[in-house]
C-alpha cells in the first residue's frame, strides 16, 4: 500500500483525542498531531503557530503561512502530517482553505490540495453520559489532562469544587451527539469512509488501535508494539456518582 501524506482526527471533546495524539506522536513515524487550526480566528492560528509577519500581508498569504507552519510542526520530521479537528473549528478551517485553493470545488479536494492524500479518523465515545460528565468536570475543576504519575499536564482554571447539574449533563449529552452526527453528515457528503475508533476501544487496547491507524496510513505498524496509555484517567468516584444519579433521574423522567 502506498503511504498516505496526512491524517485528520475528527472528534469531539473528551473522546480520547489527546491520548490518541500523544500515542501516535510517540511512535516516531506518524508526525505530531495537534489542533493546529483551533478556533475561528486567523489571528489565533498565527499566534498559536508563532507566526509574526515582518511586513503587511494579505489574508491568503497569512493562511498559506499558517498551513506551511502547521505542516512543518505536524510532520515532526516524519513523512506524515497529523491534525486534530473538532467540529466547532471545522467550518472556519474549510472557509480559509477555500481562500488559498479556490480552484478545488470540494472540501475534501481542498484538504488534499493543502496536505496531500488524507486519511480521516472518526474518534468518538460510545458512552455519552460519561463523556458529558467528563467534560463538565474538566470545565469546573479546570484540569483536563494528567500524566500517568498524576502530574498535571493541562490545567485551564484554578481548582474548585464541582457541583452536580442534571440539566447541564443533559445539554452536554445532546451536544456531543450533535457533534458526532455533524461529522457523519460531512463524511456522507464527501463520500468518505473514515477509520472509526472509539474511546472505549482505545482505552481497552491502545497498542491495537495505534497499530490499526498505522496500517491504514501505510506506516510501520511495528512502531505500535508495547504502546501504553500516555495519560492518566481522571474519572473518579465523583464521576461515577454523577453518572449513576443522572441515569437514575433520567429513568424516572
Amino acid at each position: 500500500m502506498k503511504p498516505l501524506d496526512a491524517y485528520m482526527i475528527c472528534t469531539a471533546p473528551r473522546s480520547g483525542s489527546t491520548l490518541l495524539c500523544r500515542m501516535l506522536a510517540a511512535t516516531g513515524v506518524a508526525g505530531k498531531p495537534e489542533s493546529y487550526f483551533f478556533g475561528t480566528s486567523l489571528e489565533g492560528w498565527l499566534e498559536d503557530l508563532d507566526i509574526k509577519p515582518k511586513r503587511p500581508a494579505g489574508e491568503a498569504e497569512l493562511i498559506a503561512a499558517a498551513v506551511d507552519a502547521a505542516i512543518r510542526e505536524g510532520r515532526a520530521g516524519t513523512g506524515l502530517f497529523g491534525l486534530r479537528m473538532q467540529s466547532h473549528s471545522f467550518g472556519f478551517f474549510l472557509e480559509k482553505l477555500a481562500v488559498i485553493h479556490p480552484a478545488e470545488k470540494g472540501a475534501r479536494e481542498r484538504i488534499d490540495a493543502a496536505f496531500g492524500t488524507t486519511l480521516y479518523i472518526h474518534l468518538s465515545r460510545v458512552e455519552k453520559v460519561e463523556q458529558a460528565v467528563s467534560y463538565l468536570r474538566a470545565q469546573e475543576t479546570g484540569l483536563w489532562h494528567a500524566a500517568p504519575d498524576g502530574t498535571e499536564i493541562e490545567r485551564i482554571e484554578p481548582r474548585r469544587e464541582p457541583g452536580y447539574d442534571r440539566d447541564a449533563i443533559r445539554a452536554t449529552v445532546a451536544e456531543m451527539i450533535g457533534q458526532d452526527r455533524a461529522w457523519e453528515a460531512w463524511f456522507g457528503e464527501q463520500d468518505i469512509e473514515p477509520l472509526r475508533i472509539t474511546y472505549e476501544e482505545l482505552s481497552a487496547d491502545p497498542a491495537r488501535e495505534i497499530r490499526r491507524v498505522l496500517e491504514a496510513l501505510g506506516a510501520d505498524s511495528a512502531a505500535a508494539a508495547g504502546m501504553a496509555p500516555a495519560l492518566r484517567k481522571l474519572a473518579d468516584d465523583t464521576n461515577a456518582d454523577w453518572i449513576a444519579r443522572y441515569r437514575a433521574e433520567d429513568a424516572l423522567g
Side-chain angles (χ1 to χ4, degrees):
M1 160 180 184
K2 180 182 180 297
L4 301 182
D5 302 301
Y7 59 97
M8 182 184 295
I9 300 168
C10 307
T11 191
R14 311 311 282 177
S15 293
S17 63
T18 298
L19 174 61
L20 181 58
C21 286
R22 283 175 171 264
M23 294 184 72
L24 284 168
T27 67
V29 299
K32 183 184 176 185
E34 296 284 355
S35 298
Y36 295 110
F37 303 102
F38 182 81
T40 56
S41 162
L42 179 54
E43 291 73 19
W45 289 5
L46 299 176
E47 181 177 353
D48 290 346
L49 291 163
D50 196 28
I51 297 172
K52 300 179 177 65
K54 295 180 180 179
R55 57 179 175 75
E59 181 185 38
E61 186 176 353
L62 292 174
I63 295 169
V67 168
D68 288 345
I71 289 173
R72 285 194 300 273
E73 289 195 30
R75 283 180 177 164
T78 73
L80 280 166
F81 170 66
L83 174 63
R84 171 173 54 186
M85 182 64 63
Q86 294 186 3
S87 58
H88 63 79
S89 302
F90 193 48
F92 182 79
F93 169 73
L94 293 180
E95 287 177 13
K96 297 310 170 188
L97 287 190
V99 173
I100 59 173
H101 293 290
E104 306 296 338
K105 300 305 180 184
R108 184 178 185 179
E109 289 73 22
R110 288 169 183 153
I111 292 170
D112 282 357
F115 306 108
T117 305
T118 301
L119 171 73
Y120 297 88
I121 302 168
H122 189 202
L123 176 64
S124 61
R125 190 163 180 167
V126 175
E127 296 294 341
K128 288 293 184 284
V129 176
E130 293 180 9
Q131 183 178 3
V133 168
S134 175
Y135 181 72
L136 291 170
R137 286 214 66 205
Q139 280 192 320
E140 292 196 350
T141 65
L143 179 61
W144 289 81
H145 300 104
D149 64 0
T151 303
E152 294 184 359
I153 294 175
E154 184 180 2
R155 174 174 287 282
I156 306 300
E157 300 285 346
R159 185 184 303 277
R160 54 195 172 99
E161 195 63 29
Y164 175 83
D165 186 330
R166 176 187 178 184
D167 291 340
I169 295 174
R170 177 176 291 162
T172 305
V173 167
E175 171 63 20
M176 298 304 176
I177 292 172
Q179 291 198 37
D180 281 357
R181 288 176 176 170
W183 281 121
E184 291 292 357
W186 186 76
F187 295 142
E189 291 168 3
Q190 300 296 317
D191 195 26
I192 291 170
E193 181 55 44
L195 177 66
R196 300 180 190 279
I197 300 175
T198 67
Y199 169 89
E200 289 80 4
E201 291 168 332
L202 183 62
S203 299
D205 194 340
R208 178 190 64 200
E209 297 308 305
I210 297 300
R211 186 165 57 250
R212 287 181 61 215
V213 175
L214 296 180
E215 288 172 352
L217 288 167
D220 182 10
S221 61
M227 296 294 292
L231 296 173
R232 179 180 182 177
K233 288 187 177 181
L234 296 179
D236 57 15
D237 290 344
T238 300
N239 289 62
D241 289 344
W242 286 15
I243 291 164
R245 181 175 173 183
Y246 178 82
R247 285 175 171 157
E249 292 175 353
D250 196 50
L252 294 174

